[in-house]
Amino acid sequence: MSFLYPTFLFGLLAVSVPVAIHLFNFRRTRRVFFTNVALLRTVQTETKSFRRLKHYLILLFRTLFVICLVLAFAQPFLPSKSKLGLSRTGLTSLYLDNSYSMQNEANQKRYLDIATSKLDQLLGLFRNATSLQLVTNDFSSQEQTVGTAEALRDRVTTVRFAHTPRSLPDVYRRQLNLLASHNPTGPNQLFWFSDFQKSTAGDLSRLKIDTTNRLFLVPLETQPTKNVFVDSVWLSTPFIRELQNNTLNVRVRNSGEESVRNFPIKLFIDQTQVSTASVTLPGKGTATATLNFNVTQKGFRRGRITFEDYPITFDNEYYFVIQASPSIRVLHLYDQKTDANYIENVYGNDSLFVRRSFSAQNVDVGQLKTADLVVLEGVNQVNGTLRSELERFVRQGGSLAIIPPPTPDAAAWSSFFAGLGVGGLQTQALPLPPQQPLSAPNRQNPFFRDIFEQTNQQGIENLPNAVPVWQWRVVGERLLTLRNGVPFLTQSRVGGLTSGQVYIFGSPLSAEYGNLAQHALFVPIMYKIAALSVRPERTAYSFDDNTIEVPVTNASPNAVYKLKRDKLEIIPVQRVNGQQLLIELPKSNQLNDGQQLASGYYELQLNDKTEKLLAFNHGNRESQMEFYKPDELRRIFANQPNVEIFDSIQDDDFVEELRQQNLGTNLWKYFVIAALVFLLAEVAVIRFMKG
């Protein structure tokens, strides 16, 4: 038998009090006179031995009462047979997984509710402990302190689902920080109540638990279940135009084993349902739904994909933002332009375009920061600041269309082309060869896919003629070529995927170099170049992203942006890099009390003015319904004897089994009962033993 609080055993010294009382009679002797002495002597003879027995019984019961009471306060127990026994006096850290996957249900009860009830029962084993800690995925400041079991019970009732998933190695490091500050030498024990979702648990094979700590894994009895969630959303066209048919593609994924047939998906734009579709999803498979819609107004539109999927509901909605009819900003720079002003006319007849024309010799290079497409027409040389700014413009995602002058400077243009990744420039010597017809464009090329729908067949059959003034080595797509194979219009990308496009024409637009500018192909080609120059903005962001990039215009390096949703206002860590705003999304522990990042729409504000509308969703990791089984966890921690894995948290005798195996059998209740019995025995002796 062992004692939880052995210092209380010093209370056994109190046994000397009743012994002293019975050894010394402190009552003063009184003399009483009787007329019949013989009768008095007879009474004394009959009561002396009886009184001695009564006093001995009272002494015995009082002594046993004191002994049992002291032992009860020392809390005796029979030690457990397990070598991984708990320390009742060490620090106990309890991790309660409140991720969104804990919305799953078993026997019509949510995993989080099951874990909470069992954790509450476990606190009963530590009701007298004062060094208890509760950790959740929130990683809030109040989780840095220790408290009593009652304090933790109050906190458990307030636990809600957290939007930030935490890996188990992160949880362990969090608990170690507390152990190091409160009880670094141990022994301590850690409990993990979780569904042990594989997609968020992290690499458990590399997780080593310190031998001074004891870790108890309490997995929920997870069952395979289906869960459908949105994998990705994208538009079929670079931008949306009002009062026209637009197409949205939605890829949904089924993380369960069973297939889902005729699964309905709804599309809402600004709280109005505008389209619906149904898909069939195989087990562990995907399907893509195509939703057609149109918008009646320009500007940012709030989109939402929704469907019904139970019991996992946190990912049943997907929010996104589209911008209807964004203005395409075209900057036209020229040295020599045609009298017909083809470029100005093409981009000046549609409200979709915002065109500005400047002489290349007098332009303010700051204009490039607000442009989507720069058209160089007839510029003899690109040198100095203009050249460096154009290279930077393209590398930051802008598009550049180059229409050559009649007599280009080979040396100057070769150097500029080299900076754009285009080499092998050769100018055509005078006199120029006769004009040649162009070959028919490739209809399968995505660039021309919708152009042929806008151009009549006769215009396609009668292709224009042209004579190039230069040739170059093609590093991208040949959009138009002469019949002799010489490239006439090419499309190439500079650098990585985030950089812009460079379009190079083979000849000027004047009639003596060809009739492309007068042909039916010219306007749709220039429109398509401008359309592709719109830098695609993300329709939605994920809370799992540590840093997001948001395009901004004319942003000052000292500007302070904030995110606002309803009454929630957050000023995140941020910095401006050129035309990009880099934002670090806050985690749960970085928010104030009562604040929570929920899926939905957030306004990006500068000086209380809304600059953009952003949509945020929870990541897909918690939508993956794959979990570690107890046997898998045992194999992972097989070489760590200080780690114990329970089979199921849902067993009715879970806490009792834990107590018997790791805490032993409590005996204090029996000693309290014995103390009461001895107290009642003393009262009975005093009351009923008359003599």
Side-chain angles (χ1 to χ4, degrees):
M1 184 172 68
S2 301
F3 298 92
L4 183 60
Y5 302 108
T7 54
F8 276 102
L9 295 177
F10 288 106
L12 293 175
L13 296 175
V15 174
S16 61
V17 176
V19 173
I21 292 175
H22 284 270
L23 289 178
F24 302 98
N25 188 353
F26 295 108
R27 293 177 298 177
R28 181 178 284 182
T29 303
R30 297 177 59 189
R31 180 176 293 182
V32 180
F33 296 95
F34 290 90
T35 59
N36 193 339
V37 178
L39 178 63
L40 179 60
R41 184 180 296 112
T42 303
V43 172
Q44 285 180 338
T45 301
E46 293 177 353
T47 60
K48 185 175 182 179
S49 60
F50 184 81
R51 186 171 61 251
R52 183 181 295 113
L53 174 62
K54 179 180 178 180
H55 287 180
Y56 283 150
L57 290 176
I58 293 174
L59 174 61
L60 174 64
F61 292 143
R62 286 180 178 176
T63 302
L64 292 176
F65 167 76
V66 173
I67 292 174
C68 291
L69 190 62
V70 171
L71 292 178
F73 276 98
Q75 294 199 22
F77 64 94
L78 296 177
S80 64
K81 298 179 181 179
S82 173
K83 296 181 180 179
L84 194 64
L86 290 178
S87 169
R88 304 188 189 217
T89 57
L91 190 146
T92 301
S93 181
L94 307 168
Y95 166 60
L96 177 60
D97 183 2
N98 60 335
S99 61
Y100 279 108
S101 63
M102 296 287 282
Q103 287 183 350
N104 210 342
E105 292 187 354
N107 300 325
Q108 297 183 346
K109 292 184 65 177
R110 296 187 307 181
Y111 285 174
L112 181 62
D113 297 332
I114 296 172
T116 300
S117 63
K118 294 302 180 182
L119 190 149
D120 183 76
Q121 295 177 22
L122 180 64
L123 289 174
L125 299 180
F126 301 95
R127 54 184 170 274
N128 295 321
T130 58
S131 298
L132 298 173
Q133 177 205 24
L134 177 65
V135 176
T136 66
N137 290 342
D138 295 326
F139 282 13
S140 61
S141 58
Q142 60 181 341
E143 297 176 0
Q144 299 277 13
T145 60
V146 296
T148 63
E150 290 302 320
L152 260 64
R153 277 196 172 100
D154 294 338
R155 283 193 48 214
V156 165
T157 59
T158 64
V159 173
R160 298 294 182 266
F161 291 104
H163 77 276
T164 304
R166 306 288 183 179
S167 68
L168 293 179
D170 289 342
V171 172
Y172 181 59
R173 283 191 292 269
R174 180 80 170 181
Q175 292 176 312
L176 281 184
N177 291 335
L178 180 78
L179 299 179
S181 58
H182 289 80
N183 192 21
T185 59
N188 304 298
Q189 51 269 335
L190 296 79
F191 287 85
W192 290 353
F193 292 82
S194 173
D195 56 4
F196 293 94
Q197 189 177 25
K198 291 184 177 181
S199 59
T200 60
D203 189 356
L204 299 183
S205 62
R206 297 185 178 181
L207 181 59
K208 303 300 179 183
I209 306 302
D210 193 290
T211 55
T212 61
N213 301 319
R214 301 171 178 87
L215 174 62
F216 296 87
L217 306 185
V218 191
L220 285 93
E221 190 176 352
T222 55
Q223 299 294 334
T225 181
K226 71 175 181 67
N227 182 43
V228 178
F229 60 94
V230 175
D231 181 82
S232 55
V233 172
W234 71 95
L235 296 167
S236 296
T237 55
F239 56 88
I240 300 298
R241 299 200 68 175
E242 79 275 15
L243 302 177
Q244 291 187 9
N245 290 329
N246 303 284
T247 303
L248 183 76
N249 302 288
V250 181
R251 179 181 291 119
V252 290
R253 185 179 297 274
N254 178 17
S255 65
E257 297 287 349
E258 58 180 293
S259 61
V260 181
R261 300 183 60 83
N262 300 323
F263 188 75
I265 300 174
K266 300 176 182 178
L267 170 62
F268 287 80
I269 301 293
D270 293 335
Q271 305 301 321
T272 302
Q273 182 177 337
V274 297
S275 184
T276 184
S278 62
V279 295
T280 297
L281 293 141
K284 300 291 184 182
T286 62
T288 301
T290 301
L291 300 164
N292 298 317
F293 68 98
N294 60 63
V295 294
T296 58
Q297 296 179 344
K298 295 183 178 181
F300 291 104
R301 306 265 70 85
R302 302 169 185 251
R304 177 166 56 96
I305 301 295
T306 182
F307 45 79
E308 297 293 333
D309 182 37
Y310 188 81
I312 306 298
T313 59
F314 79 93
D315 52 6
N316 286 2
E317 291 185 321
Y318 185 90
Y319 299 89
F320 63 95
V321 174
I322 55 176
Q323 186 177 7
S325 295
S327 298
I328 302 177
R329 298 159 298 185
V330 179
L331 180 62
H332 177 212
L333 304 181
Y334 59 86
D335 272 348
Q336 304 175 38
K337 60 179 180 178
T338 60
D339 295 336
N341 293 328
Y342 293 113
I343 299 300
E344 296 179 4
N345 292 334
V346 164
Y347 295 125
N349 294 328
D350 196 320
S351 60
L352 180 64
F353 305 106
V354 176
R355 177 196 51 78
R356 291 166 297 171
S357 295
F358 300 95
S359 169
Q361 306 303 321
N362 300 317
V363 65
D364 178 8
V365 293
Q367 299 284 344
L368 274 68
K369 296 181 179 180
T370 59
D372 297 308
L373 170 65
V374 174
V375 180
L376 292 180
E377 182 185 7
V379 178
N380 292 321
Q381 294 182 353
V382 181
N383 295 316
T385 304
L386 178 60
R387 172 180 170 174
S388 61
E389 290 300 321
L390 282 174
E391 291 178 352
R392 179 183 303 176
F393 167 76
V394 175
R395 295 187 184 280
Q396 291 181 349
S399 293
L400 175 64
I402 302 174
I403 302 172
T407 56
D409 186 327
W413 278 103
S414 294
S415 178
F416 179 56
F417 275 18
L420 300 176
V422 179
L425 179 66
Q426 297 179 358
T427 57
Q428 184 68 44
L430 297 176
L432 296 176
Q435 297 182 10
Q436 297 185 36
L438 298 178
S439 297
N442 181 8
R443 294 172 180 261
Q444 302 303 318
N445 191 315
F447 184 91
F448 291 103
R449 188 166 298 166
D450 52 353
I451 288 181
F452 286 113
E453 298 176 359
Q454 304 174 17
T455 309
N456 59 62
Q457 187 64 30
Q458 182 178 0
I460 296 299
E461 292 177 353
N462 300 322
L463 292 168
N465 299 323
V467 53
V469 298
W470 57 18
Q471 296 182 24
W472 61 98
R473 185 172 63 248
V474 180
V475 293
E477 289 281 342
R478 293 173 179 249
L479 300 181
L480 293 175
T481 61
L482 300 177
R483 288 186 180 178
N484 61 2
V486 175
F488 182 77
L489 173 60
T490 62
Q491 175 190 29
S492 60
R493 184 178 293 277
V494 177
L497 295 177
T498 58
S499 59
Q501 303 278 359
V502 176
Y503 301 88
I504 304 176
F505 287 82
S507 64
L509 299 181
S510 55
E512 57 266 31
Y513 297 95
N515 61 343
L516 174 64
Q518 297 86 30
H519 196 270
L521 272 177
F522 180 68
V523 172
I525 284 177
M526 298 307 295
Y527 272 30
K528 190 60 177 285
I529 290 176
L532 294 177
S533 70
V534 176
R535 307 179 194 187
E537 296 186 16
R538 291 179 58 175
T539 57
Y541 299 88
S542 171
F543 288 124
D544 287 352
D545 297 332
N546 293 325
T547 304
I548 65 172
E549 295 185 6
V550 181
V552 292
T553 56
N554 299 326
S556 168
N558 298 324
V560 178
Y561 290 85
K562 66 180 179 180
L563 293 174
K564 181 178 180 181
R565 182 176 187 266
D566 298 330
K567 296 182 180 180
L568 176 66
E569 290 189 4
I570 301 173
I571 300 179
V573 178
Q574 58 190 273
R575 64 185 178 90
V576 177
N577 183 15
Q579 299 299 306
Q580 297 291 323
L581 173 65
L582 305 180
I583 297 177
E584 295 183 15
L585 295 178
K587 302 299 182 183
S588 299
N589 58 312
Q590 297 173 325
L591 299 174
N592 296 327
D593 293 338
Q595 291 184 333
Q596 184 178 9
L597 292 179
S599 297
Y601 310 104
Y602 290 76
E603 296 178 5
L604 182 66
Q605 294 187 343
L606 177 63
N607 299 326
D608 294 327
K609 178 183 177 182
T610 300
E611 299 290 329
K612 284 183 180 296
L613 186 65
L614 307 178
F616 286 90
N617 299 280
H618 298 290
N620 292 336
R621 289 190 297 162
E622 293 190 73
S623 298
Q624 305 288 343
M625 296 293 105
E626 293 185 4
F627 309 92
Y628 284 108
K629 300 296 183 183
D631 291 340
E632 294 180 278
L633 293 173
R634 288 190 180 93
R635 287 193 295 270
I636 294 174
F637 294 99
N639 297 325
Q640 301 189 58
N642 57 329
V643 178
E644 182 175 340
I645 296 98
F646 289 88
D647 286 323
S648 175
I649 192 179
Q650 300 184 51
D651 294 337
D652 293 336
D653 58 349
F654 158 72
V655 176
E656 182 63 22
E657 179 184 357
L658 176 69
R659 182 186 64 78
Q660 293 180 358
Q661 291 183 2
N662 300 280
L663 288 175
T665 303
N666 288 320
L667 300 177
W668 66 270
K669 295 180 181 178
Y670 302 105
F671 283 96
V672 170
I673 295 174
L676 293 177
V677 170
F678 292 133
L679 181 63
L680 292 175
E682 178 191 351
V683 173
V685 169
I686 296 174
R687 182 177 181 85
F688 297 108
M689 290 187 67
K690 305 286 187 180

